[in-house]
Amino acid sequence: MNFDDNVDEAAFRAKVRSWLDDNAPKKLLPYLEKASFATLDLGDYDANAEAKAWRKKKFDAGWACLAWPKEYGGQAVSPIERVIWGQEEGAYAALGGLFTIGEGMCGPTVMAYADEAQKTRYLPKLASGEEIWCQLFSEPGSGSDLAGLRTKAEPDGGDWLINGQKIWTSGAHYSDFGILITRTDANVAKHQGLTMFFLDMKSPGIDIRPIKQANGQSGFNEVYFNDVRIPDAQRLGAVGEGWKVALTTLMNERMSIGGSMPTGVPEMLELASTLQLETGPAIEDRALREKLADWHCRANGLKYTSARLTSALSRGDTPGPEASIGKLVAGPMMQEIAMAALDLQDLSGMMVDPAEAALSARLQAILLRSPATRVEGGTDEILRNIIAERVLGLPGDIRADKGLAFKDIPTGR
Amino acid sequence: MIARTVYDNEHEQFRESLRKFLQAEAVPFHDQWEKDGQIDRALWQRAGEQGFLCPTVPEALGGLGADFRYNAVVDEEMSGMGLSGIGFGLHSDITVPYLVNHGNDEQHQKYMPGCLSGDIITAIAMTEPGTGSDLQGIKTTAIADGDDYIINGSKTFITNGQLADLIIVVCKTDPSKGARGTSLILVESGTAGFAKGKNLEKLGLKAQDTSELFFDNVRVPKANLLGQEGMGFAYLMQELPQERLNIAIGAMASAESILNQTVTYVQERKAFGSPIATFQNTQFKLAEIDAQLTAMRVFVDCCLELHLRGDLDAVTAAKAKLLTTELQGKVIDECLQLHGGYGFMWEYPVAKAYADARVQRIYGGTSEIMKLIIGRNLLGS
């Protein structure tokens, strides 16, 4: 790994920097720099409208969906150049949350399985941010056990009729389209009876209900399907091959992790540098200094693990299951840091109003959001299974439903 | 779980009737109270009618004259049922005991009936903006002026702050002295110059009203002095073991209740074709939690027994508060993880318990202060 830019990279960085300097929405910077983990509060500005405007501007100037081929709205730049863009975009990247799932997961799946006309119709508008996409995978009875999903798709003329329920769908309430995995055959083993589609989120029969979360936000939704009709032309991949298609999506999720996971370390360091304890400045507290050093080491481990991933990508390798390590380390660490940060603040740590709490309540937001990080996109437990089985080569976990037809698997909630 | 021996049949009967009362009068409304940021005052009066407020107040003062175990039952049931907005514990275990122990006949006659009936809700105003754990550093003053005191200053994080009718204000009657210049003075809501700030937006305890209080030349008669002038700090120290025991009891009940709910959940929730309870990881986590809670339960019940005999010392109470609240945080975090995504939904008790648990390691003295107390005792400094 060499972290210095070569000549081409330096030229690219200069180009990025100069464009950002001329075009970035600087009026939003004070809000973006204070943005709490998983929240976007732009004061009187409309967050979604500002996010879309910035996205469109980037798209028009050729800075959106950098990894994608040019014919679908991308720029086909190298992984290293993507990293440079990410480093330079900095705080403005917080405006990108609406588009992450579309760019990182739905788009690549559509690209791999849709026909040419569909790709030309949907991908550029996804890239430009004019249309938002969501991913309808998890269900009330199938989270970690995704292949146990039961939302049914039945053929009806040239269409499919969808009935069932999805949950934890990020952004369903503002999405225009979604990719949807369904069960089309319950008589075969659970992984074999699945089929993937994409659909218009405004289709009749869809009912979207935001979930009230432990952190007071509602980014996730429940999505109910009641006789929702999808044309067969919107099927992605063959009937019964939905699991294979889903793996394409999930593999892309792993690839898109390339950037670094938030850890809370910079926020904690800022807090420690500004907070006064009864005994003096927090940063001089020995017990805290020890912890800061420990977190700094772990954060750097994550940083360089992620850099190693980028190096692998730039060599054209596909990152393997070891990419699971990042979230497993960052999630619990974020929680630990937030807890320690609140300890430091005594009762003031209980304030969640950004106007009153230290560092605009960013660490309070991290405390309340971090449990979800340890669950979403693969729980800590599932990640440990992946590392045990696929990185360390340990014997597989016992799977009671192995080889059973889906309809014969005992069910619960 | 080892069978508990600290309670008698009478306590368990009291628990049963309290449970029925809370199921009918509190559980259905708690979600709304979270939205309101405070509970319905009428609940206080209904609880008063049924004898659930201040069980330990002596019969001579109109109370039941019961032992502290009845308070403990109330604390356990509130915490176990996740009714984190209801401030009975503070009232019965902390503030009213100050009135009982240090109030004079006149004060008893004036306030005790209301405290028992729920018509008078009490609060204690200790913490100030800028002083958290350091009570000796408080800046609110009460300066003698003829037959009155004039109070100036501000307080924050005051539990029951919005609803409180009677507030015990910790202030300096002699600002030239540290702890020995501290006194406790009663201030009634509505006194000229006394203002309640807005209901503070907190990380947890959403249904509990917590406020800033402002004192701008508030004039109260000297008859409102609780106990003796300059003795305030000493009174506060005397009550600390009971206050910390109250927190420890709540922490245990909450953790045990969440464990029970999680045990049920993992047996119902299926993944990969079998209940997640069949996975070794689930069993290991739950076994660890259960073992730790079993040991901690024995310790807390022992503290309760010591307290009934008047033998619970400040250091042991600090140990109980430290260990139980840290364990509560850990247990609820693990149990949330076992709930998967559902643990992050506000409608699941474990999500609320996660948010509510955080402050337990802070109020009533932070974990760090508890360690200092234990450490000083150990090292004799």
Side-chain angles (χ1 to χ4, degrees):
Chain A
M1 282 184 285
N2 178 357
F3 296 105
D4 298 327
D5 290 346
N6 65 27
V7 177
D8 291 344
E9 287 159 6
F12 181 80
R13 190 183 294 278
K15 198 171 123 191
V16 170
R17 210 171 270 183
S18 122
W19 187 81
L20 283 171
D21 197 42
D22 293 340
N23 293 283
K26 292 187 180 135
K27 63 178 182 185
L28 303 177
L29 199 56
Y31 300 101
L32 294 171
E33 282 174 340
K34 279 196 239 161
S36 299
F37 176 46
T39 64
L40 184 60
D41 180 1
L42 298 183
D44 290 338
Y45 296 106
D46 175 342
N48 281 10
E50 293 294 337
K52 285 188 166 192
W54 174 232
R55 181 74 179 191
K56 185 69 169 52
K57 201 167 188 182
K58 287 197 288 185
F59 176 78
D60 289 342
W63 296 113
C65 285
L66 292 177
W68 288 17
K70 291 195 172 175
E71 59 266 40
Y72 303 131
Q75 297 301 324
V77 309
S78 74
I80 294 295
E81 287 171 334
R82 276 167 58 203
V83 170
I84 292 173
W85 166 268
Q87 290 168 346
E88 295 298 323
E89 190 182 17
Y92 297 108
L95 287 167
L98 287 181
F99 316 106
T100 314
I101 289 170
E103 174 174 352
M105 304 173 77
C106 306
T109 310
V110 168
M111 213 176 298
Y113 292 99
D115 67 34
E116 202 50 44
Q118 289 169 333
K119 289 196 254 188
T120 319
R121 153 65 186 87
Y122 293 105
L123 292 175
K125 281 203 157 53
L126 188 161
S128 69
E130 287 162 88
E131 290 172 352
I132 311 278
W133 285 62
C134 63
Q135 175 214 332
L136 300 139
F137 279 24
S138 292
E139 295 187 5
S142 59
S144 290
D145 183 13
L146 176 61
L149 63 91
R150 9 187 21 98
T151 292
K152 211 163 38 169
E154 294 165 297
D156 184 69
D159 298 336
W160 294 83
L161 277 185
I162 314 294
N163 283 286
Q165 186 201 345
K166 296 287 174 179
I167 193 170
W168 309 119
T169 313
S170 302
H173 52 311
Y174 51 68
S175 288
D176 302 290
F177 297 95
I179 57 173
L180 169 72
I181 187 163
T182 62
R183 182 160 306 279
T184 42
D185 188 353
N187 295 307
V188 291
K190 64 179 182 179
H191 291 94
Q192 289 161 20
L194 306 175
T195 304
M196 186 81 80
F197 298 92
F198 73 87
L199 83 165
D200 185 339
M201 289 301 286
K202 307 289 183 297
S203 307
I206 298 185
D207 180 14
I208 300 170
R209 299 180 198 167
I211 293 171
K212 186 170 180 210
Q213 299 157 200
N215 63 346
Q217 305 265 314
S218 289
F220 298 120
N221 297 274
E222 297 178 298
V223 182
Y224 294 85
F225 296 86
N226 187 8
D227 280 338
V228 174
R229 194 167 280 279
I230 303 181
D232 186 55
Q234 290 177 205
R235 177 164 43 78
L236 295 170
V239 174
E241 300 223 327
W243 186 249
K244 197 177 109 191
V245 182
L247 289 183
T248 310
T249 314
L250 298 172
M251 188 63 76
N252 274 286
E253 180 179 35
R254 188 176 298 153
M255 306 268 274
S256 71
I257 290 173
S260 52
M261 286 282 305
T263 57
V265 174
E267 287 89 349
M268 184 67 191
L269 197 58
E270 195 181 333
L271 178 76
S273 308
T274 49
L275 194 70
Q276 284 291 326
L277 304 180
E278 282 163 19
T279 49
I283 196 74
E284 288 173 13
D285 183 88
R286 283 175 183 227
L288 178 62
R289 290 167 80 92
E290 237 172 73
K291 286 186 193 160
L292 283 170
D294 185 26
W295 293 322
H296 178 74
C297 294
R298 265 190 277 167
N300 271 304
L302 282 175
K303 183 174 151 195
Y304 293 121
T305 303
S306 144
R308 198 176 294 133
L309 205 70
T310 312
S311 289
L313 277 169
S314 69
R315 284 195 305 268
D317 297 348
T318 304
E322 66 274 13
S324 304
I325 293 169
K327 197 173 83 80
L328 185 57
V329 175
M333 176 161 140
M334 199 152 48
Q335 212 173 2
E336 187 187 319
I337 287 179
M339 294 207 188
L342 266 54
D343 279 344
L344 281 181
Q345 298 175 59
D346 211 296
L347 278 169
S348 317
M350 292 299 105
M351 294 293 98
V352 287
D353 183 346
E356 287 172 11
L359 232 66
S360 308
R362 279 149 75 193
L363 286 146
Q364 283 81 351
I366 291 176
L367 181 87
L368 290 176
R369 183 57 176 70
S370 47
T373 304
R374 297 181 53 194
V375 171
E376 64 194 347
T379 60
D380 284 5
E381 290 71 20
I382 290 292
L383 297 182
R384 287 201 180 91
N385 267 356
I386 291 174
I387 293 167
E389 295 175 17
R390 298 181 52 205
V391 180
L392 301 176
L394 300 179
D397 205 11
I398 297 160
R399 279 152 183 119
D401 54 2
K402 203 169 178 182
L404 283 183
F406 181 74
K407 64 176 169 47
D408 299 328
I409 297 173
T411 56
R413 49 174 183 165
Chain B
M1 213 46 90
I2 297 172
R4 301 179 68 182
T5 51
V6 65
Y7 292 117
D8 297 333
N9 275 340
E10 294 75 45
H11 300 106
E12 295 304 336
Q13 283 161 8
F14 178 78
R15 187 192 301 276
E16 267 319 299
S17 62
L18 174 68
R19 235 176 235 178
K20 279 186 197 133
F21 170 78
L22 292 173
Q23 281 296 353
E25 304 283 347
V27 172
F29 311 107
H30 206 266
D31 282 348
Q32 184 57 45
W33 294 339
E34 281 172 11
K35 290 182 188 119
D36 299 341
Q38 63 182 48
I39 72 159
D40 186 350
R41 177 178 275 276
L43 183 78
W44 283 84
Q45 287 148 343
R46 283 191 212 108
E49 277 165 30
Q50 312 254 344
F52 295 130
L53 297 178
C54 319
T56 51
V57 170
E59 284 171 276
L61 299 182
L64 296 174
D67 67 70
F68 186 76
R69 283 175 290 183
Y70 289 88
N71 297 45
V73 167
V74 177
D75 298 337
E76 287 178 4
E77 291 309 308
M78 294 285 182
S79 301
M81 291 164 97
L83 300 169
S84 61
I86 304 174
F88 295 173
L90 176 85
H91 180 78
S92 304
D93 301 4
I94 299 168
T95 52
V96 173
Y98 282 106
L99 271 174
V100 170
N101 296 338
H102 308 296
N104 54 34
D105 288 349
E106 221 172 288
Q107 290 164 339
H108 286 157
Q109 277 162 19
K110 188 166 179 195
Y111 298 119
M112 208 48 74
C115 290
L116 289 163
S117 69
D119 291 314
I120 295 178
I121 299 172
T122 57
I124 182 158
M126 295 194 218
T127 307
E128 298 182 356
T131 64
S133 301
D134 178 21
L135 274 179
Q136 303 192 40
I138 59 160
K139 296 197 171 56
T140 298
T141 55
I143 304 299
D145 182 60
D147 290 339
D148 300 331
Y149 286 112
I150 298 175
I151 306 177
N152 279 292
S154 59
K155 297 284 181 180
T156 191
F157 304 121
I158 307 308
T159 303
N160 293 349
Q162 295 287 312
L163 288 171
D165 307 293
L166 181 67
I167 296 123
I168 301 172
V169 183
V170 181
C171 35
K172 287 269 171 76
T173 38
D174 186 349
S176 68
K177 292 184 187 147
R180 286 178 190 186
T182 307
S183 302
L184 306 184
I185 295 180
L186 299 168
V187 175
E188 292 175 21
S189 176
T191 308
F194 168 58
K196 295 172 176 176
K198 63 172 178 166
N199 201 356
L200 296 171
E201 201 185 326
K202 301 185 300 301
L203 193 150
L205 309 180
K206 297 291 187 190
Q208 186 185 90
D209 51 315
T210 307
S211 314
E212 295 173 297
L213 303 177
F214 303 102
F215 303 87
D216 179 16
N217 286 317
V218 177
R219 185 175 281 274
V220 297
K222 277 194 172 162
N224 284 23
L225 176 70
L226 197 56
Q228 290 172 28
E229 203 176 86
M231 290 295 289
F233 198 77
Y235 298 152
L236 292 173
M237 293 300 113
Q238 285 165 17
E239 299 298 329
L240 280 176
Q242 179 159 309
E243 182 176 346
R244 292 184 177 144
L245 181 61
N246 155 287
I247 295 172
I249 288 169
M252 276 308 294
S254 165
E256 286 173 344
S257 162
I258 294 295
L259 171 62
N260 289 338
Q261 294 174 43
T262 306
V263 167
T264 308
Y265 182 82
V266 299
Q267 288 170 312
E268 288 169 358
R269 174 76 183 176
K270 291 192 170 90
F272 306 105
S274 58
I276 61 173
T278 61
F279 300 151
Q280 261 191 350
N281 175 66
T282 310
Q283 295 169 10
F284 286 173
K285 294 274 185 209
L286 291 176
E288 215 176 274
I289 291 171
D290 188 36
Q292 288 173 328
L293 284 177
T294 301
M296 196 67 77
R297 168 50 72 204
V298 174
F299 175 46
V300 172
D301 282 356
C302 171
C303 288
L304 180 53
E305 281 171 12
L306 284 170
H307 186 55
L308 290 171
R309 296 202 302 265
D311 289 339
L312 181 68
D313 63 273
V315 177
T316 308
K319 289 175 186 172
K321 198 223 165 220
L322 171 70
L323 292 174
T324 52
T325 58
E326 296 282 338
L327 181 60
Q328 178 192 11
K330 183 181 158 236
V331 164
I332 292 171
D333 189 35
E334 299 274 18
C335 287
L336 188 155
Q337 184 72 12
L338 287 169
H339 278 75
Y342 292 94
F344 198 54
M345 284 175 86
W346 190 249
E347 68 186 73
Y348 274 71
V350 69
K352 296 184 192 190
Y354 177 81
D356 289 343
R358 192 62 193 79
V359 75
Q360 291 268 92
R361 280 176 273 167
I362 298 174
Y363 57 22
T366 61
S367 289
E368 291 68 27
I369 296 288
M370 297 306 107
K371 289 178 200 172
L372 286 179
I373 293 169
I374 301 161
R376 274 182 202 142
N377 176 64
L378 207 53
L379 303 168
S381 62

